[in-house]
Amino acid sequence: MIDPFDVTLEDGDLMGEVELTTNLIVAASESDGPLSRDEIDRLLGVVPIPRQR
């Protein structure tokens, strides 16, 4: 028998956002000063786009 009240309360996208935010908070709390843009990008997994010449 299927239980209509047995639902998954996990949202994969939300969990990913929580993890990224947590990583930023931990890094900021361990830093002696503001995080650089490069440090933030690294923590968030941002890959820079090469500039076109």
Side-chain angles (χ1 to χ4, degrees), residues 2-4 10 14 23-24 31 36 43 45-46 48-51 53:
I2 297 175
D3 182 357
E10 185 174 311
L14 177 60
N23 291 342
L24 283 172
S31 178
S36 71
L43 288 165
V46 174
I49 299 172
R51 291 187 182 191
R53 291 186 180 208

Side-chain angles (χ1 to χ4, degrees), residues 25-52:
I25 292 168
V26 169
S29 68
E30 294 176 349
S31 178
D32 291 333
L35 297 174
S36 71
R37 186 175 298 243
D38 288 338
E39 290 172 307
I40 293 170
D41 285 350
R42 182 183 55 77
L43 288 165
L44 296 177
V46 174
V47 178
I49 299 172
R51 291 187 182 191
Q52 299 284 330

